[in-house]
């Protein structure tokens, strides 16, 4: 009986750890709402570790297509650097628990990025260095077609 109780408590502790590490949907929306820059971007270049082990940094060089919202001065056409992260397959196989892992983007990817200024940024272009704001939900692929294109056909004056 004692061994069974220990096993049950151990299983509950493991499950509680896994559940506690995942962000609830309202937290993700809060992180997106609090992002200091929401930009439509195109990935120009991707830099990662040659042989990633565990959790590793990913640095993107991106072109700003449009600024949806920003507290920092960012203009369309500028190039920015965005620091993200990835998780190796070996770490996933060992049972990685944490927030949703950001997608590893390829050059040419176009979408919306939820970003914050990079606290580790330095140098002359520090204001153009960002980090992801909403973990695995920081990059959102654009839907096919222009997302802001909403129109209705108005009848001509003769048809009214």
């Amino acid at each position: 009986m004692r061994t069974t109780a220990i096993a049950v408590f151990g299983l509950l502790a493991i499950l509680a750890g896994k559940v506690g590490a995942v962000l609830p949907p309202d937290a993700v929306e809060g992180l997106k709402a609090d992002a200091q820059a929401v930009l439509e971007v195109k990935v120009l270049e991707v830099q990662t570790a040659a042989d990633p082990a565990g959790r590793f940094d990913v640095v993107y060089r991106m072109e700003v297509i449009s600024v949806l919202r920003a507290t920092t001065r960012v203009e369309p056409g500028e190039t920015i650097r965005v620091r993200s992260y990835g998780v190796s397959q070996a770490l996933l196989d060992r049972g990685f628990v944490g927030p949703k892992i950001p997608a590893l983007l390829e050059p040419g990817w176009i979408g919306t990025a939820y970003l914050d200024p990079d606290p580790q940024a330095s140098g002359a272009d520090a204001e153009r260095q960002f980090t992801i704001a909403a973990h695995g939900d920081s990059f959102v692929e654009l839907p096919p077609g222009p997302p802001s294109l909403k129109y209705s056909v108005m009848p001509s004056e003769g048809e009214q």
Side-chain angles (χ1 to χ4, degrees), residues 54-124:
R55 186 171 182 215
F56 57 92
D57 283 339
V58 179
V59 178
Y60 297 104
R61 195 168 60 88
M62 298 179 164
E63 176 186 355
V64 177
I65 297 171
S66 67
V67 178
L68 303 177
R69 176 178 86 229
T71 59
T72 60
R73 188 176 179 132
V74 181
E75 301 286 331
E78 288 184 339
T79 301
I80 61 171
R81 288 172 45 100
V82 176
R83 188 168 47 87
S84 181
Y85 64 90
V87 177
S88 71
Q89 189 60 47
L91 185 57
L92 290 173
D93 292 343
R94 289 194 309 263
F96 172 79
V97 176
K100 183 177 173 185
I101 302 164
L104 295 176
L105 307 177
E106 298 287 329
W109 181 89
I110 297 176
T112 303
Y114 294 84
L115 308 171
D116 286 328
D118 191 343
Q120 298 177 8
S122 61

Side-chain angles (χ1 to χ4, degrees), residues 12-13 21-22 26-27 33 39 44 51-52 65 69 82 86 88 96 119 121 140 146:
L12 288 175
V22 177
D26 58 335
L39 311 171
L44 302 174
D51 185 23
I65 297 171
R69 176 178 86 229
V82 176
S88 71
F96 172 79
V140 178

Side-chain angles (χ1 to χ4, degrees), residues 153-160:
V153 177
M154 300 296 292
S156 64
E157 288 186 30
E159 295 177 13
Q160 292 180 350

Side-chain angles (χ1 to χ4, degrees), residues 127-157:
E127 64 186 27
R128 290 186 183 81
Q129 295 179 35
F130 296 88
T131 186
I132 59 174
H135 300 286
D137 292 293
S138 296
F139 302 121
V140 178
E141 196 160 336
L142 294 179
S148 61
L149 183 61
K150 294 183 180 178
Y151 65 92
S152 60
V153 177
M154 300 296 292
S156 64
E157 288 186 30

